Amino acid sequence: MERLLQARGWLAALLGGALTLMITGGIMALPGQLFNVPSLKDDIRSGPDVSVAVVKVQLEDEGMSRVTRKDYRPSTSLRQFLSRQGAASSPEFDQRLQSVGAVNLERLTLRVVFTGHRNQTVNIVNIEPEIVERGAPWSGTLFSVPSQAGSPTMNMMFDLDRPRPVARKARFDEEEGRITPGGPFFGERTITLKDTGQQVVMVRTVTARHYVAFRLKATYMLGNRTRSVTIDDHGKPFQVTATSGRSDRLEDVKYRRVFALEGNFSLCQIVPVTTSACEYQGS
């Protein structure tokens, strides 16, 4: 009889312990059932939901032609640099021309790196240009460094000549030998960011008619909340200009001053004509 009572006591203790564990576990799990814990954590988390790093890149199909808004007469130092062999292939080339206000001709490519900083998943649902200025193509000084052709990998493309440019899938047209816009980029997809996760997007912007200054606006969802982040060129808008005077002949484009690429990758002024000898003879 005593052994039976002991066995019953042990069984009751076991059942009591199991019941305690079940109740404790239920209580511990209760907040997760009643509240969105990741959302609560994000509400008290400092810093941005998403950080963005952007770099202007030069791909092989773009060339490195640059244009100034008004006639720019290079300083003696810049002229000496441009006349050096290999000047156009030097990293200093772009830095020098940016410093005098020259912008990309017809195409601008951006490498945009998004990083998530939230417990909840960040879903980027749209990226669109915000046009700051759109006007006639710049017709000041052209530094002509044409494309060497190629078929680079690209994700996204914007035609800035459209009234409201839409993010399109970028595809390489083998017949035309260039990047062309495809279907809507966000038609069937989003860009998803986990906490500390990154996504890289290569963005190509093009114009054949205008000078355009713009920023990019990325719209994203954090839970059920819609937010946005602005992407620009270190506080300034990005800039790109179409060719002034549509022509396949360099001699026929409409610029106040033109520097043409030489066979040794230097640049020589051909408009207005100077007394210095240039290898460039035209076609």
Side-chain angles (χ1 to χ4, degrees):
M1 185 68 177
E2 184 178 349
R3 290 182 179 179
L4 180 60
L5 290 174
Q6 288 179 345
R8 287 179 176 177
W10 292 339
L11 181 59
L14 288 173
L15 291 173
L19 182 60
T20 300
L21 288 174
M22 291 174 63
I23 294 173
T24 303
I27 293 174
M28 294 296 290
L30 191 59
Q33 300 299 317
L34 297 178
F35 306 102
N36 185 335
V37 177
S39 178
L40 292 175
K41 290 180 178 179
D42 288 337
D43 287 341
I44 60 174
R45 189 170 181 176
S46 61
D49 303 329
V50 181
S51 61
V52 183
V54 59
V55 179
K56 289 185 284 187
V57 296
Q58 201 70 43
L59 302 183
E60 60 182 3
D61 71 318
E62 291 181 86
M64 294 187 66
S65 296
R66 301 289 185 267
V67 180
T68 62
R69 184 187 292 267
K70 298 180 180 179
D71 182 16
Y72 176 76
R73 181 177 296 179
S75 64
T76 300
S77 173
L78 182 53
R79 281 183 178 273
Q80 290 175 345
F81 168 75
L82 294 174
S83 66
R84 294 177 195 168
Q85 180 176 339
S89 59
S90 167
E92 191 179 349
F93 177 80
D94 204 36
Q95 297 171 7
R96 288 256 192 165
L97 296 188
Q98 284 186 30
S99 70
V100 301
V103 304
N104 281 48
L105 180 68
E106 295 188 340
R107 293 177 285 271
L108 173 64
T109 303
L110 306 171
R111 180 187 290 117
V112 185
V113 182
F114 294 98
T115 304
H117 300 289
R118 287 294 176 263
N119 296 281
Q120 300 173 91
T121 299
V122 175
N123 291 301
I124 299 174
V125 297
N126 192 32
I127 299 175
E128 59 184 338
E130 294 186 320
I131 306 298
V132 176
E133 181 183 353
R134 183 186 275 138
W138 284 6
S139 58
T141 298
L142 168 65
F143 301 90
S144 178
V145 183
S147 165
Q148 301 299 309
S151 55
T153 300
M154 196 69 53
N155 301 113
M156 187 183 299
M157 186 174 185
F158 292 99
D159 181 353
L160 298 178
D161 292 330
R162 299 281 184 179
R164 295 189 63 183
V166 173
R168 298 278 180 179
K169 298 174 184 176
R171 61 185 180 86
F172 183 70
D173 189 316
E174 294 187 1
E175 292 186 2
E176 296 188 19
R178 62 187 182 90
I179 299 290
T180 58
F185 184 90
F186 290 101
E188 300 176 353
R189 62 170 293 181
T190 61
I191 298 173
T192 301
L193 298 172
K194 302 292 186 180
D195 191 12
T196 72
Q198 292 186 328
Q199 290 283 358
V200 180
V201 182
M202 296 293 288
V203 179
R204 167 67 57 83
T205 60
V206 298
T207 177
R209 301 177 184 175
H210 306 99
Y211 158 77
V212 185
F214 66 96
R215 295 182 172 88
L216 294 176
K217 176 184 175 183
T219 301
Y220 63 90
M221 298 292 296
L222 183 66
N224 61 358
R225 291 169 287 187
T226 302
R227 297 177 177 175
S228 65
V229 60
T230 298
I231 305 163
D232 59 23
D233 187 7
H234 302 92
K236 301 181 296 183
F238 301 108
Q239 300 176 87
V240 61
T241 183
T243 299
S244 178
R246 298 305 307 170
S247 174
D248 294 331
R249 287 169 50 89
L250 186 56
E251 298 93 327
D252 295 335
V253 292
K254 298 178 180 179
Y255 293 96
R256 293 174 177 84
R257 194 176 303 271
V258 176
F259 286 80
L261 183 67
E262 299 283 272
N264 63 357
F265 292 97
S266 65
L267 281 90
C268 183
Q269 181 174 315
I270 62 169
V271 176
V273 176
T274 65
T275 56
S276 62
C278 290
E279 294 179 30
Y280 178 83
Q281 298 297 325
S283 58

